[in-house]
Amino acid sequence: MQTQDRSTASNCPIIRETLQNAITASQNHLLSIQYPDGYWWAVLESNVTITAEVVLLHKIWGTDKTRPLHKVETYLRNEQREHGGWELYYGDGGELSTSVEAYMALRLLGVPASDPALLKAKEFILERGGISKTRIFTKFHLALIGCYDWQGIPSIPPAIMLLPDNFPVTIYEMSSWARGSTVPLLIVFDKKPIYLTEPGINLDELYAEGVENVRYELPKSGDWADLFVGLDKGFKFAEVSNLMPLREAGLKAAEKWVLERQEATGDWGGIIPAMLNSLLALRALHYDPCDPIVDRGLQAVDRFAVETEEIYWIQPCVSPVWDTALVMRALVESGMEPNRPELVRAGEWLLDKQILDYGDWAVKNKKGKPGAWAFEFDNRFYPDVDDSAVVVMALDAVTLPDEELKRSAIARTLKWILSMQCKEGGWAAFDLDNNQDWLNAIPYGDLKAMIDPNTADVTARVLEMSGRCDLSLGSFALRRALAYLIKEQEQDGSWFGRWGVNYIYGTSGAISALALIATESHISNIERGAAWLLSCQNSDGGWGETCQSYNDPSLKGQGDSTASQTAWALAGLMAAVEASTTVAGSTLTPETLSAIERGIEYLIATQRSDGTWDESYFTGTGFPCHFYLKYHLYQQHFPLTALGRYQKLMSNPPNCPS
């Protein structure tokens, strides 16, 4: 799907009134959904496994009767596709592990195996190899209720909790999300509990080879990672023989770690996997359901729920800080006065959310001082670089009553971000030099998300922050960051997108950064990136990219057009246009302006009468190839940002006759 060839740029045919009407409608919608405290917050959607695992959690704790779990049945039935399975992301054709967990949840909710929907799901699951071919975490959840044997689940020595910080391998070499999930799993994997549920179920019908023929063992991959499979056999022998060294001390340390990291609101890490695993650990340790720690934890899970008259489901996370900062940027960039009361309330809310406590990041970062932001309402242990950089840009764009307070907050954040620069020159999301890739080979790391290395998109965000807010990173840090970002550019001109789908996201961010801070020195990199974006414009004028591009890079930049991905591509192209007009010898092609115009036309044409856009596709990334997200505000604020930047660009149109 290529952009149509046009030999000359049009004479700016988009009527200014039409453009302004689209901007105003979008602004009015966003203002109408602002919360009274000043923040914006919309639903964050993933696949159905999160909800299925919450059903299992409540069945295990016996708290299922106090939640409207009967509505989950309707939700899961609605999400089942015609082929019988459930999807990892919209339109993927169905995914095995996701489907097994949805099937499990429906059985736990009392749906019989003879139900037509489950018969159809069973056929889908068996055709793909059944339970034995699912991921480790699916098997783990099944083992909790006796539907899979613990022998096929990896063992993790609890003694790893006792390793000193300066040891070559500790839990802090895992990504923050892997760490928050793994520490409680040390307890659960050690205890190997099997819980009786009401109703009691088995899933024998989902073993393609027949349940009597199942081999409960870790799969081998045929490479050096099989070393871990051999080690696992040794660990299991030590468990059975009661020879596991420092077992009790390790379990006590894991329990202490889990308890210390619970927020006052009950959350752990602000993400459902860490919250569920922590509650499972407490259950394995025989905590009482009425214990305040457990009660707070269960209530925290409840706050992630979305309930209507008919359905009930659970979000994987909540994103108010991220949503608020991005909406603020969109409103200002689309022409709203920076001292407007709604923006002032939002800015003051963000200032109040700055984290001034030390978190897990400080274990490897001994020099940094607190001053960052997290993604969620409450998450003091895990602020992140990406959110912090976006918040800085949002605050810089607005005018607050106490500008000195704002500047102090920004200064603290800049120092913290600089202290988080990795050895390779870039920035990761949550930790410093969290890059030991071999951890992805351990048996239970089959999501390949055990580490948090520096990435092009987060690095670009920091560089964009520096340029847009006139904040100096220092020449040494800047040179290293630029070198890293350029090294990450692919041969075709694109950049990989770790946190958004995918190359469109990464390329847009990199161009936007380079155009602000390295225009002349890196104009060729900017132009190559822009050329790649031009090459994948769809015939309808928009851009889209399938999540499958993470599995198959030949699909990069290919997919049905979406509002959010079109807005990303436009942001990158408009940044390239502005950069090109300031560099001697750089020529702006008419085709570029024509492509931008067609992209804007696509956004205007697909905007609904209430000022909103709609898209079904998932354009956010949790773990590439394994877990994707749909931010329900992405399709609103990113298009508004693009429209606002286009309006500014056309106020002095390059190569466009006046």
Side-chain angles (χ1 to χ4, degrees), residues 29 37 64 147 290 316 320 374 386 450-451 454 487 521 548 595 623:
H29 167 72
D37 286 349
D64 52 306
C147 292
C290 297
D386 210 7
M450 295 299 293
I451 59 173
N454 49 194
K487 178 176 70 71
S521 59
Q548 191 64 20
F623 309 140

Side-chain angles (χ1 to χ4, degrees), residues 68 71-72 74-76 78 306-313:
K71 295 183 180 182
V72 173
T74 304
Y75 162 71
L76 291 174
N78 290 348
V306 176
E307 183 180 4
T308 69
E309 290 185 5
E310 296 182 348
I311 65 172
Y312 181 86
W313 60 279

